[in-house]
Amino acid sequence: MLLVTFVDRIGSGLWASVSVLYFTYVSGLSLAQVGTLAAVSGAVGIAGAPLGGRIADRFPLTRILIALQLLRALASFGLLTTDHYLPLLMISAVGSLGDRASSVLTKLYAARVAGPDRVRYQAVNRTASNAGWALGGLAAAAALTLGTTTAYRWLLTGDALSFLAIALLTVSCAEPPGSSRVAATGTTPCAGKPANPWRDRTYLAYVATETVLFLDDSVFQIGLPLWIAHSAGVPHGLAPLLLVLNNVMVVALQVPLARYGTTSEAARKLLAPLSAASAAGGAALALSATGGTLQAVCLLTASAALFTLAEMLHAVVSWELSLALAPDTAQGAYLGVHGLAQSGQRSLGPLAVTAAIATGPLGWTAFGATIAATCALQHRLVRDRLRQNPLSVPPVTVSEH
């Protein structure tokens, strides 16, 4: 599955960085149409996480993953067949649905394969993901130097072919132990009605806090580039360099950091340094507006490093707690609901960081403080649940993805 992730992210790196340009220059869509297409497909994609998770508790996981990869390939190839707005909108929505569902199910597969070693398994997987994304992005940047319609189409074709490749790779993957009885019977491996995450108030509250903790994604995608663009004297070329810093740190440090979250209680304790890193990152961004160019560059770099540390710590915490709070009999359904946190952040994140930018330095201070306060809230929220009766696998150590 590690190779599946690597190939998948190469394809995503090829397409994600040029999708807006493709719809603008190849399909000829207006700015408003491109924005609406992205918003609608993203909204439809939100349903992919809970839908995929629910299905995974009823059918063999590898078969569902293969079907989803083929659906994603079909959607990507479909974009090549038309330049009309409505078909592009519908095809993009289907692709987004498949993308969000496959993301949750890949995580579920890792959890079932690794069992007690799931955190390190996911850490290695994330390292492969970042490496693949970087490789795809570099290939896309090289292709764009040609500036031709053909180059754009080949990048989209490469994305589609990556989905076909991972579907073939998934065929060779064994069904994970936790779903062996599902594969044999086509039903959930337990008697009685499985737990329903939508009626689990503690888990829903936990997912709500996760939406806030995922805001670091928007910091790197939108917040830092816009803040740099509107900061006098700061070179605009710093923005992509900070993204490179983020990527390098994740590749180098995500696996070593995973050792500190090998049990549910250990993962919960990581919320304290996560809180501190987020608050310090927001403060550094705020202070970057108070001095000269050199000070601003140093503080922006420090902020990027701090938010990257927060991102990696949250990844470890999230991998463990999202499963530790879920019953064995409904892990797919629970992970599907947890997937809504990241989907929701994609809608709320841009609004949050642009509000911080509009407010000025005080806005970034409040942004970091809000994430820090949410860490404290989550720490308290999950404490009693974990101590009373961990519904997932017992607290344990970790393996590879």
Side-chain angles (χ1 to χ4, degrees):
M1 195 56 71
L2 178 61
L3 181 58
V4 168
T5 297
F6 182 67
V7 175
D8 187 358
R9 290 308 169 188
I10 289 177
S12 296
L14 289 174
W15 173 241
S17 58
V18 303
S19 59
V20 171
L21 299 176
Y22 177 92
F23 290 128
T24 301
Y25 297 115
V26 178
S27 299
L29 302 185
S30 67
L31 179 61
Q33 286 176 321
V34 172
T36 303
L37 184 148
V40 171
S41 61
V44 172
I46 291 175
L51 180 62
R54 179 66 69 176
I55 294 173
D57 285 329
R58 289 165 169 74
F59 300 99
L61 188 52
T62 51
R63 296 181 192 174
I64 303 171
L65 278 170
I66 292 169
L68 286 172
Q69 310 307 1
L70 292 176
L71 177 66
R72 296 168 77 194
L74 185 63
S76 294
F77 281 124
L79 293 175
L80 290 166
T81 65
T82 180
D83 290 329
H84 296 289
Y85 178 61
L86 287 179
L88 287 174
L89 182 65
M90 291 186 288
I91 294 168
S92 296
V94 170
S96 179
L97 187 75
D99 179 69
R100 298 310 305 155
S102 66
S103 177
V104 168
L105 297 192
T106 299
K107 178 180 177 181
L108 179 59
Y109 185 97
R112 289 178 175 174
V113 167
D117 289 338
R118 60 183 174 237
V119 178
R120 181 174 171 81
Y121 196 90
Q122 286 280 17
V124 177
N125 177 68
R126 192 162 190 262
T127 301
S129 175
N130 275 264
W133 189 282
L135 185 59
L138 288 173
L144 288 183
T145 59
L146 299 176
T148 64
T149 298
T150 301
Y152 283 108
R153 292 189 181 279
W154 272 113
L155 289 172
L156 179 52
T157 301
D159 186 36
L161 291 175
S162 74
F163 297 141
L164 290 180
I166 60 178
L168 290 173
L169 289 171
T170 305
V171 171
S172 64
C173 294
E175 189 67 22
S179 53
S180 57
R181 288 186 62 188
V182 176
T185 64
T187 59
T188 51
C190 65
K193 189 175 181 179
N196 186 344
W198 297 106
R199 296 179 180 177
D200 189 333
R201 293 182 180 179
T202 299
Y203 198 83
L204 291 177
Y206 163 70
V207 171
T209 61
E210 283 286 88
T211 303
V212 178
L213 299 191
F214 273 118
L215 286 175
D216 55 72
D217 286 350
S218 292
V219 170
F220 285 97
Q221 293 178 11
I222 299 171
L224 278 170
L226 281 180
W227 184 251
I228 289 171
H230 291 83
S231 297
V234 177
H236 292 181
L238 181 63
L241 291 178
L242 294 182
L243 289 175
V244 171
L245 173 65
N246 170 264
N247 201 287
V248 170
M249 286 183 65
V250 171
V251 171
L253 300 175
Q254 186 68 77
V255 174
L257 280 174
R259 73 183 66 176
Y260 299 105
T262 56
T263 69
S264 299
E265 186 60 27
R268 187 175 72 92
K269 290 179 179 178
L270 287 180
L271 286 166
L274 167 55
S275 173
S278 299
L285 262 176
L287 290 172
S288 69
T290 62
T293 298
L294 180 59
Q295 177 181 318
V297 169
C298 291
L299 285 168
L300 285 168
T301 303
S303 178
L306 286 164
F307 274 117
T308 300
L309 176 61
E311 173 189 335
M312 293 186 292
L313 289 171
H314 178 235
V316 175
V317 174
S318 182
W319 293 331
E320 176 60 26
L321 295 186
S322 61
L323 280 162
L325 297 173
D328 289 338
T329 56
Q331 283 187 338
Y334 271 69
L335 281 184
V337 171
H338 181 263
L340 292 175
Q342 199 160 17
S343 299
Q345 185 279 144
R346 292 185 177 186
S347 298
L348 299 176
L351 297 177
V353 296
T354 52
I357 292 171
T359 310
L362 183 61
W364 280 121
T365 303
F367 180 89
T370 299
I371 297 178
T374 304
C375 289
L377 177 61
Q378 186 178 111
H379 187 278
R380 182 179 181 83
L381 179 69
V382 304
R383 179 185 59 194
D384 294 338
R385 173 78 160 252
L386 292 174
R387 288 178 178 174
Q388 287 172 3
N389 182 25
L391 295 175
S392 181
V393 296
V396 278
T397 57
V398 209
S399 166
E400 281 225 335
H401 196 159

